[in-house]
Amino acid sequence: MTTAPTAHPGAVGTAHTRVEGRAKVTGAARYAGEIPFAGLVHGWLALSTVSRGRIRAIESADALARPGVLAVLTHENAPRVETDYVTGYTSLMGTPNPTLAVFQHDRIPHLGWPVALVVAETSEQAREAAEALVVHYDQEPHDVAFTAEHPNAYDAGHLGPAVTGKGDLEAELATSAVVLDAEYTTPEEHHNPMEPHAVTAHWDGGRLDVVDSNQGTTVVAVDLAHLFSLAPASVRVRSEHVGGGFGGKGQVRVHQIAAVMAATVLRRPVRVVMTRRQMFSLGGHRSPTIQRVRLGADADGRLRALEHRSQSHTSTLHEFVEAGAGPARVLYDADAHHTANRVVRLDVSTPTFMRAPGEAPGSFALESAVDELAEKLGIDPIELRARNEPERGPVSGLPFANRNLHACFREGARRFGWADRDPRPGLRRDGRWLLGTGTAAASFIVVVGPSTAAVTAEADGTYTVKVNAADIGTGARTALTLVAADALDVAVDRVRVRLGDSDLGPAMNAGGSMGTRSWSWAVTLAAAELRQRLALGEAIPPEGVTVRSDSSAAIGALAQKERHAYGAQFAEVAVDPATGEVRVRRMLGIFAAGKIVNPLTARSQFIGGMIWGISMALHEEAVRDQASGGHYGADLAGYHVAAHADVPAVEAGWVDDADPEDPVGIKGIGEIGIVGAAAAVANAVWHATGVRHRHLPIRPDRVLTAVRNA
């Protein structure tokens, strides 16, 4: 029979609860670390206790003799892997990647490097044996000191040039009416999603089957095939439900490799789950940054000079750059415009993508500096930004696809009550509390990646969408259901979405705020062709009618433009000058982030990022012990994050901003909520106290010291 779609009201843009919500709250949704397998055994990683050196010997006999222990994998007996390869799809970390050479050599590049995997019948047995391992090292001096003057720092680019420049910076600064020259720092930060990194690997009929917690099974499957010299079709990776990723689960990590090694040796399913402490050394992190911003402006506020230099650290194994100078390349232009990203190799684990990589720390420095310049000029901070609105990309020279930053500021100022703000600092009080308000701009690049999708018209009148998307807690299933329903012009309850399985075909990662945009593009292409076939009267057989799409050609045809989402952040804080306590009382973020597919889950994404910005401004700070090279308090007791008591009334809204070049109008919202949030809080603290804080987090001791020295 033939079932032709009939007209239905648009689903995109209306609020829908999560399609998998009931499964999650009832426990029916299973995660990588809890899916049962017959004959399952457990691996436990043993990590190095030195920060640099070589393994001289590993005493494993005692561990092997313990009850339930099946194997101890080390560099002496583990299967070999191939790290000298280049992927052709989505490995954003860059390859070859020596970080993946686990158990391949005796070198120790940082504290917490895996030296062994102990496999046992139970997790408890594996942990006990792993902790009983005795490892002898030839220890070498290490360097974990991150300083602006480090002699080994060098210019480095990541997904963009290392250095950009135009105009005579020193000449423009010399002739500017007002000049700002300041250094800003942000600390090392960690992802710590609710669900830890977890994987189960087993061989099924000669095929490697991996059940994992990741942000994209395509990347993991491709890399595992290369690492273990397997045909791509012989690797399947599944990741149906993920309890958070934030960038840390965006690529293959050592626990996945170790699990595959053990499954290969034992020919049994092997599960490896990182502990919270292990995630601090193996899960990636955001590098600390040291940033210098120099601004020069005419008396009317027009920027004549802008310099933003950002330095981060990386490991001795693999280069990753936290590109903090990125926001300056988009937000503001100047006659002399210079930016640079630098990096220094230290004996630390390799940093990685973390929500709004580059933009989050970079926006803190840049947007704090712009606020300081506004103070010096006596110009309202929003007005100063409006006066420096660029007509084209300040660095690229490309036209903007669309740019609604100041629509965000206008709406945000109206809702926040900015017009009633007295710009003078330190005047408002509520009992013992000093009150202040601040604002900051936000931007995040809009990217789309090639993806495939399949849409099937079933004989029962429903539609099945298969796309290898990753729902990392963001509501991707629901968003894709709404997109597919509109593309097919059917009711939402007639659409089922399958995702999180590499067998569904290649698709972009959930990362870089590009997931929903990339997957939706492929889904709409397949749905359009399917509708056309059904409109021509094609009958639907029992197995259904399926159309498969590949968005590569459509995406490749896009013209080069500056494509970004934007936002305006507003914060009100209360500061106790006697204790140094800072409380954020309210926050408002207004965003121009494309067509909002599902307002219900989108609001959660925005406010989640804003809350993380509060956490970044006031709490988060991983501190390294210079003597050991490791972290103090590498757990959620020692690494502080914003708790319920720290989160005030947080509101998020948006302006109309549909992307005219996207089939649905989508841009992406995963990162933009955190960008500028920490700067808005810091600017509000200045307005409350009259004292600037250029170093995050704004701890009570720093507030007390600043107030006393003011």
Side-chain angles (χ1 to χ4, degrees), residues 589-640:
I590 301 295
F591 302 97
K595 179 72 172 178
I596 301 303
V597 177
N598 184 358
L600 191 64
T601 51
R603 181 180 179 275
S604 294
Q605 281 294 290
F606 288 135
I607 66 173
M610 294 167 67
I611 290 168
W612 203 339
I614 295 172
S615 196
M616 179 182 178
L618 303 180
H619 304 288
E620 294 193 44
E621 180 180 25
V623 181
R624 287 190 180 271
D625 176 8
Q626 298 296 306
S628 71
H631 295 105
Y632 293 104
D635 51 45
L636 292 185
Y639 182 83
H640 294 171

Side-chain angles (χ1 to χ4, degrees), residues 433-434 573-583 617-618 681-682 684-686 688-710:
W433 299 95
L434 293 169
V573 304
V575 181
D576 186 339
T579 66
E581 181 181 3
V582 178
R583 288 283 180 186
L618 303 180
V681 172
V685 171
W686 166 79
T689 64
V691 180
R692 289 285 177 186
H693 288 270
R694 300 187 178 116
H695 310 287
L696 296 185
I698 306 173
R699 302 188 310 253
D701 63 303
R702 287 176 167 168
V703 174
L704 287 175
T705 300
V707 169
R708 289 168 183 167
N709 293 338

Side-chain angles (χ1 to χ4, degrees), residues 295-550:
L295 302 175
D298 290 339
D300 63 0
R302 186 182 69 85
L303 284 174
R304 299 186 60 172
L306 185 156
E307 181 186 37
H308 189 173
R309 301 176 65 84
S310 178
Q311 182 169 306
S312 59
H313 77 204
T314 191
S315 71
T316 58
L317 283 177
H318 196 53
E319 181 183 275
F320 182 89
V321 182
E322 185 73 20
R329 298 175 180 181
V330 175
L331 284 172
Y332 310 108
D333 203 355
D335 297 323
H337 191 289
H338 291 249
T339 68
N341 289 305
R342 295 174 62 78
V343 72
V344 59
R345 292 185 180 271
L346 299 176
D347 298 312
V348 299
S349 60
T350 306
T352 191
F353 302 99
M354 183 167 169
R355 197 173 201 170
E359 276 84 355
S363 66
F364 164 67
L366 180 64
E367 290 302 294
S368 295
V370 170
D371 200 74
E372 292 196 49
L373 184 67
E375 174 201 352
K376 287 176 174 288
L377 288 163
I379 298 174
D380 179 82
I382 296 177
E383 175 60 26
L384 179 62
R385 290 173 172 87
R387 293 183 187 183
N388 287 283
E389 181 73 354
E391 295 182 359
R392 301 177 74 87
V395 171
S396 70
L398 295 172
F400 290 101
N402 63 351
R403 184 177 167 101
N404 287 321
L405 172 61
H406 286 281
C408 297
F409 271 116
R410 287 191 296 271
E411 177 64 12
R414 183 189 67 80
R415 288 179 53 175
F416 193 75
W418 187 261
D420 298 329
R421 177 184 190 258
D422 188 328
R424 296 172 297 173
L427 297 182
R428 291 178 59 212
R429 277 189 175 270
D430 181 7
R432 73 178 193 274
W433 299 95
L434 293 169
L435 304 182
T437 53
T439 190
S443 72
F444 195 82
I445 191 169
V446 171
V447 183
V448 61
S451 297
T452 61
V455 180
T456 301
E458 307 288 359
D460 63 0
T462 63
Y463 295 82
T464 301
V465 176
K466 297 180 181 179
V467 57
N468 191 16
D471 193 333
I472 60 174
T474 57
R477 274 183 189 81
T478 309
L480 290 170
T481 300
L482 304 184
V483 168
D486 276 7
L488 292 164
D489 198 14
V490 299
V492 171
D493 60 8
R494 290 175 63 187
V495 176
R496 297 188 300 268
V497 172
R498 283 191 55 201
L499 48 70
D501 186 338
S502 62
D503 277 359
L504 299 177
M508 183 50 60
N509 258 23
S513 295
M514 71 179 84
T516 301
R517 177 175 163 96
S518 300
W519 308 319
S520 295
W521 203 307
V523 169
T524 55
L525 287 175
E529 183 178 340
L530 179 61
R531 286 188 66 187
Q532 187 177 38
R533 286 175 58 174
L534 295 179
L536 294 174
E538 181 172 343
I540 300 179
E543 67 274 16
V545 175
T546 299
V547 170
R548 187 164 187 83
S549 68
D550 185 336

